Amino acid sequence: MRQQNLLMPTLREVPSDAEAASHRLMLRAGLIRSLAAGVYTYLPLGRRALRKAETIVREEMDRVGAQEVLLPAMQPAELWRESGRYDVYGPELVRLRDRHDREFALGPTHEEVVTALVRDEISSYRKLPLTVYQIQTKFRDERRPRYGLLRGREFLMKDAYSFDTDWEGLDATYRAMYEAYHRIFTRCGLNYRAVEADAGAIGGEGETHEFMALAEIGEDTVVACDSCGYAANLEKAEAAAAQQAQAAADGEAAPPLERWHTPDIRTIAQLTELLGPEASRLMKTLLYVADGKPVAVMMRGADEVNELKVQRYLGADQLELADADTVQSVTGASVGFAGPVGLNVPLLVDREAAALGEGIAGANERDYHYRHVRPGRDFSLAHTGDFREVRLGDRCARCGEPLTLHRGIEVGHVFKLGTKYSTALGARVTGVSGTEQDIIMGCYGIGVSRLLSAVLEQHHDEQGIVWPLSLAPFHVHILPVAVTDDAQRELAEELYERLQALGIEVLLDDREERPGVKFKDADLIGLPIRLVIGKRAGERVVEYKERQAPEAEQLTVEEAVKRVLELVRPAASGDAK
Amino acid sequence: MRQQNLLMPTLREVPSDAEAASHRLMLRAGLIRSLAAGVYTYLPLGRRALRKAETIVREEMDRVGAQEVLLPAMQPAELWRESGRYDVYGPELVRLRDRHDREFALGPTHEEVVTALVRDEISSYRKLPLTVYQIQTKFRDERRPRYGLLRGREFLMKDAYSFDTDWEGLDATYRAMYEAYHRIFTRCGLNYRAVEADAGAIGGEGETHEFMALAEIGEDTVVACDSCGYAANLEKAEAAAAQQAQAAADGEAAPPLERWHTPDIRTIAQLTELLGPEASRLMKTLLYVADGKPVAVMMRGADEVNELKVQRYLGADQLELADADTVQSVTGASVGFAGPVGLNVPLLVDREAAALGEGIAGANERDYHYRHVRPGRDFSLAHTGDFREVRLGDRCARCGEPLTLHRGIEVGHVFKLGTKYSTALGARVTGVSGTEQDIIMGCYGIGVSRLLSAVLEQHHDEQGIVWPLSLAPFHVHILPVAVTDDAQRELAEELYERLQALGIEVLLDDREERPGVKFKDADLIGLPIRLVIGKRAGERVVEYKERQAPEAEQLTVEEAVKRVLELVRPAASGDAK
């Protein structure tokens, strides 16, 4: 394509309202423009990159036998009422009424539609397993759309749904999808981790993994072990128990409980300052309300509660921190003095806190703490478990090596749904034995537009984007330094035609602009190979430079063409179905 | 793909609520399913055909240098207010409010969004001409969604928008698009006509053509001359004036006006019956209100008014038939007795009526008509013109040969918009001379999903679909008659693998079904080539049949492969970019 008339409005200024690097780059390189908060137009370069991502996703879905469909965006509200999600989904669901005042939702996801489809069309186990997918625009009215395509209200998603007759079948489908996802993100040049995640409300049977692109801007935390490969999101992550035999032994000689006057000392920070080195013995007690009933959770002072672990232990649907009134009525004291001794509600003790020989804890009395609190002696250890959030310095529960923590962007998600939707919507098949059974489902999402943002978070430098070849809008950027120079212009045109005839995607900067402008734009839009045609055009020598390479090389036209083909061709054929 | 697990639910029963052949076939062959009125799911076969249509459209758009973009479906209402369309678009526009109660429209078309984009990003003539396009889901809340994909509420459309600095530029862009459209519809195997259409409210400068697929179910009428190639939609069509010199000459001897008592004879039908052969001299006078003012239009009794021609002649924005009260106050008589003599409002006379030597017309008096009404003597011919609708039997205005009338489905539309949107939204560029000017626009649409329906209206027989190769979901259908037979199954598998390795798209019917079921399904889904593997599998002989051919042939495997390649390969390479 010729750049003169290409709609590629690059910006010299850094847009002030774009916080994420990928968002700034997409605006500056003329890939996208905002129409409304979280709603974007894809300009030609952005559209090309997006289509490349779509193609990679489509090829890998086809490869594992998933069948492409296209489900409607407009979904009748009745269907969402059948699954029970219409009322619980909240304001993220975009709702509208048609001219006959019938209610519709704009699909943020398609479990209802696809489950109803399979319910109506499939009745026998012999038509299963089945996996369908689509690549489609989705709508979610995010409370805080931000970071460009990372959190938009209208975005492109690949969603797939699998249907099996038994859990072994789902396991196999899930595994195939999991591997397809690895191929997709690898082909996109992404640095990512597949992490164990929590199935949330679906409960124990729902195995699930998230695919996390590692990036500082990410809103999630990934816990990983570089030694054995373990990876989980923070909600789900577990660490090895600390070695605290010594601490426990120390406690054997602990003196009895001692009431300690601590006027107005209500926070861990205040206590830590007061105690100095002894602060490692601090125990903190938090009060929660689980499904309407109060419970206490005790941790070491420096640890954080992982509420999901508590929730899972209790089998509770809802868990929230207790308000001040509840704290007062449960502990008999105001907030800041809760402790494990003498509590009348279930007490969950984190295993690290349980392993302290002795410690300091609130006395359930205003302005008092206890010293020499001894786990097992002064309070029950009946509910001991892993309730803490993993943090830096923890070790891997599997191999004992140090864990690392990273920020991550969720770009994909695979999920064993089980029968949640098939039961709600009555999607049943006659099994081998002739009896009816609920279909066992999985769902599998990729944020295709978000994926582009994640890639750019990882692939850029000071000057601009550094596209991986697989997603680059064009492979090669040809820059004649002076288009008014006949030799330069003619050689540029010759190379442009020749490379295109070889199947290479070429952008030709045929603009009459100053060389500085052209070079700056070229670095900013970041195509993988730049061929500069300058003063040596008459000798048929051009400057070959790969975007990420520090130096350019002077090559003859023939050598340059050969190098282009060597770089682009293997990737191109790898992309083919 | 293997058919056993393909989601392709064919139906034996003809769906009772589907009026159009294409709609019935799409349901029966398992291409689509309805989710709500005018809202459809594309099943795998339908999705594959739709993607083929998308690819053809994309290739031809790219070929003429149009740049692909993707504009948002969610469009802020403010933008639609700027163009003035928010309030006039009516209930077809799907409207919604976001969580902050801001109003949005779901794009039925994107003139506003794209004009605002170009306004914000382009300021100089040097970046023009520019044509952008997108292939995107559109939303229109049709009053009567019907005929499956022919008139849906959520549908796939290609829309393109061009931006030029002068009308000559727009002419060239329009011509390139017009030719691209011809290539697209030809590649889709469509029998269609490009017809002149009326620019409607945009007025005289707006040249426009509609691309009409010829089909009985079509809601439009196409007037065509098979001799010289003239074609127009009925609204715009013109015919040659009839030769009525004799009739006019007859009139020279006409006696004076004669008042004729015709009690309760109010309609042309009643008069025609009363008059017998003399009915050809009937003149009818219709009263309209044009932009609030009454006008009369006089026609021969058997002709119909083309209201658009009247509207254009008057330069009126609105035209509607007058109500009974207006007829009474203008003519002094009740409905049924209006006539041209002595009327006090502008009188438009169709040229065919003007050419009558004498005639019979209403007398503007209850229960009376006039005989011997002579044009030019008894009423003014100051406003004579072509105001009639073309009908069968008319002759071509260009070459004089008979015109034909066809029903048509509008599958595409090219339109010289001019400055309607650029003026409204302030999209201006600095021209060559340094002065600012409004950008001159064109818009170009193709109903991609509707195109599939139009193709199926033309390409089917009693047994089912007869896909053109370019849109077929698969090229070849392999049918082993008995999959439990080792020789048959093995040869089928061998052919399946071999053809796919050659780039042929193959569907393998690996189901354990009775042969009758398999053959019926094969005819119904209508893939271009069927290879039946039967009793002669051991000899490596298969039955080769093209879907539209009357007879099958017995061929060796080698011959069959050769024939498949001969049929598919030229088309496949023609499809390549």
Side-chain angles (χ1 to χ4, degrees), chain A residues 455-520:
Chain A
V455 166
L456 292 199
E457 286 292 332
Q458 296 179 353
H459 293 265
H460 69 271
D461 62 16
E462 291 289 303
Q463 277 66 51
I465 297 169
V466 183
W467 280 111
L469 193 63
S470 58
L471 296 177
F474 296 89
H475 303 127
V476 174
H477 203 168
I478 298 181
L479 259 80
V481 174
V483 287
T484 49
D485 178 287
D486 287 348
Q488 290 187 28
R489 194 184 58 250
E490 282 162 23
L491 185 55
E493 292 283 345
E494 177 193 325
L495 262 172
Y496 178 61
E497 297 298 337
R498 182 165 166 194
L499 288 173
Q500 287 192 126
L502 291 165
I504 307 296
E505 300 168 18
V506 188
L507 181 62
L508 171 64
D509 190 349
D510 55 346
R511 297 176 301 163
E512 267 189 54
E513 289 279 5
R514 283 177 292 116
V517 169
K518 294 179 142 190
F519 280 98
K520 273 206 160 55

Side-chain angles (χ1 to χ4, degrees), chain B residues 27-38:
Chain B
L27 291 170
R28 289 190 55 213
L31 304 183
I32 61 169
R33 285 296 181 264
S34 170
L35 178 65

Side-chain angles (χ1 to χ4, degrees), chain B residues 85-127:
Chain B
R85 289 207 297 176
Y86 195 70
D87 296 319
V88 303
Y89 209 96
E92 266 190 30
L93 189 66
V94 179
R95 295 155 209 253
L96 59 91
R97 286 166 186 270
D98 74 0
R99 67 196 298 155
H100 307 293
D101 213 33
R102 280 187 288 252
E103 292 174 277
F104 284 84
L106 286 185
T109 171
H110 281 70
E111 281 83 0
E112 283 82 0
V113 172
V114 79
T115 307
L117 175 71
V118 167
R119 170 191 68 195
D120 295 343
E121 304 299 341
I122 289 183
S123 56
S124 161
Y125 75 96
R126 291 190 304 149
K127 296 303 288 180

Side-chain angles (χ1 to χ4, degrees), chain A residues 326-403:
Chain A
T326 308
V327 172
Q328 178 77 43
S329 76
V330 168
T331 67
S334 54
V335 171
F337 302 99
V341 183
L343 273 185
N344 247 338
V345 298
L347 173 68
L348 276 56
V349 182
D350 180 64
R351 61 183 179 183
E352 302 295 346
L356 289 172
E358 61 159 294
I360 295 134
N364 295 325
E365 181 182 356
R366 186 182 168 117
D367 292 344
Y368 281 94
H369 282 75
Y370 284 128
R371 292 175 187 268
H372 310 305
V373 181
R374 178 150 171 79
R377 181 189 74 186
D378 300 323
F379 59 87
S380 163
L381 293 176
H383 301 294
T384 300
D386 175 14
F387 302 121
R388 67 188 273 281
E389 204 166 69
V390 171
R391 57 183 160 109
L392 202 61
D394 285 354
R395 290 180 172 270
C396 179
R398 295 187 188 171
C399 74
E401 293 300 310
L403 292 170

Side-chain angles (χ1 to χ4, degrees), chain A residues 515-534:
Chain A
V517 169
K518 294 179 142 190
F519 280 98
K520 273 206 160 55
D521 277 346
D523 280 343
L524 178 56
I525 69 170
L527 303 181
I529 302 170
R530 191 180 73 192
L531 296 178
V532 176
I533 321 279

Side-chain angles (χ1 to χ4, degrees), chain A residues 1 3-7 9 33 35-36 39-44 47 50-51 58 67-76 79 91-92 94-96 98-100 104 106 113 117 121-122 126-130 132 139 141-143 153-154 511 577, chain B residues 1 3-7 9 33 35-36 39-44 47 50-51 58 67-76 79 91-92 94-96 98-100 104 106 113 117 121-122 126-130 132 139 141-143 153-154 511-512:
Chain A
M1 185 160 289
Q3 207 167 328
Q4 173 63 42
N5 287 11
L6 177 62
L7 183 58
R33 285 294 180 266
L35 179 63
V39 178
Y40 290 90
T41 288
Y42 294 80
L43 300 177
R47 185 67 184 111
L50 189 66
R51 287 205 62 228
R58 180 171 279 125
Q67 300 172 23
E68 186 172 356
V69 297
L70 183 59
L71 305 168
M74 279 182 67
Q75 308 184 359
L79 202 50
E92 264 189 32
V94 179
R95 295 156 208 255
L96 59 92
D98 74 1
R99 65 195 299 153
H100 307 294
F104 284 83
L106 286 186
V113 171
L117 175 72
E121 304 299 340
I122 291 183
R126 290 190 305 148
K127 297 301 289 179
L128 302 184
L130 169 71
V132 297
F139 301 87
D141 199 356
E142 293 278 352
R143 194 166 55 86
R153 299 200 288 172
E154 174 175 342
R511 297 176 301 163
K577 272 188 213 179
Chain B
M1 186 162 288
Q3 206 167 331
Q4 174 62 42
N5 286 10
L6 178 62
L7 183 58
R33 285 296 181 264
L35 178 65
V39 178
Y40 290 90
T41 288
Y42 295 79
L43 301 177
R47 184 67 183 112
L50 189 65
R51 286 203 64 227
R58 181 171 279 125
Q67 300 172 23
E68 187 172 356
V69 297
L70 183 58
L71 305 168
M74 279 183 68
Q75 308 182 358
L79 202 50
E92 266 190 30
V94 179
R95 295 155 209 253
L96 59 91
D98 74 0
R99 67 196 298 155
H100 307 293
F104 284 84
L106 286 185
V113 172
L117 175 71
E121 304 299 341
I122 289 183
R126 291 190 304 149
K127 296 303 288 180
L128 302 184
L130 170 71
V132 297
F139 301 86
D141 199 355
E142 292 278 352
R143 194 164 57 86
R153 297 200 288 172
E154 176 176 340
R511 297 175 301 164
E512 265 190 55

Side-chain angles (χ1 to χ4, degrees), chain B residues 168-376:
Chain B
E168 293 68 36
L170 174 58
D171 288 345
T173 304
Y174 186 89
R175 179 56 45 184
M177 272 295 175
Y178 180 85
E179 284 162 9
Y181 274 40
H182 276 290
R183 285 193 296 271
I184 288 166
F185 297 123
T186 302
R187 286 178 64 181
C188 291
L190 206 65
N191 179 15
Y192 71 95
R193 295 284 185 284
V195 308
E196 293 173 17
D198 192 87
I202 309 287
E205 58 187 6
E207 185 182 355
T208 172
H209 284 86
E210 291 168 354
F211 288 77
M212 293 285 192
L214 304 187
E216 275 310 306
I217 196 85
E219 295 176 324
D220 295 291
T221 300
V222 173
V223 177
C225 173
D226 294 336
S227 173
C228 76
Y230 170 77
N233 69 13
L234 189 59
E235 286 183 341
K236 170 87 175 178
E238 291 166 7
Q243 301 300 316
Q244 296 199 319
Q246 188 54 44
D250 287 352
E252 285 172 19
L257 272 184
E258 174 192 324
R259 211 155 145 267
W260 179 33
H261 190 219
T262 50
D264 282 333
I265 300 290
R266 292 169 182 270
T267 68
I268 293 296
Q270 290 168 325
L271 272 173
T272 301
E273 197 183 327
L274 190 67
L275 289 168
E278 228 193 327
S280 65
R281 290 181 186 268
L282 267 175
M283 296 164 169
K284 67 180 173 193
T285 305
L286 293 98
L287 282 150
Y288 283 90
V289 177
D291 291 347
K293 290 180 189 159
V295 296
V297 181
M298 207 198 73
M299 316 289 298
R300 291 186 303 187
D303 286 341
E304 296 298 331
V305 177
N306 178 322
E307 296 184 357
L308 215 71
K309 290 181 180 176
V310 172
Q311 203 172 342
R312 260 204 311 264
Y313 182 88
L314 296 169
D317 288 333
Q318 294 211 315
L319 183 79
E320 51 189 11
L321 268 175
D323 58 23
D325 287 351
T326 308
V327 171
Q328 178 76 46
S329 76
V330 168
T331 68
S334 53
V335 171
F337 301 97
V341 182
L343 273 186
N344 247 337
V345 299
L347 173 68
L348 276 57
V349 182
D350 180 63
R351 60 183 180 185
E352 301 296 344
L356 289 172
E358 60 161 291
I360 294 132
N364 295 324
E365 183 181 355
R366 186 181 168 116
D367 293 344
Y368 282 93
H369 282 76
Y370 284 128
R371 291 175 187 271
H372 310 304
V373 181
R374 176 146 172 80

Side-chain angles (χ1 to χ4, degrees), chain A residues 225-243:
Chain A
C225 173
D226 295 335
S227 175
C228 75
Y230 170 77
N233 70 15
L234 189 60
E235 285 183 341
K236 170 87 174 178
E238 291 166 6
Q243 301 299 318

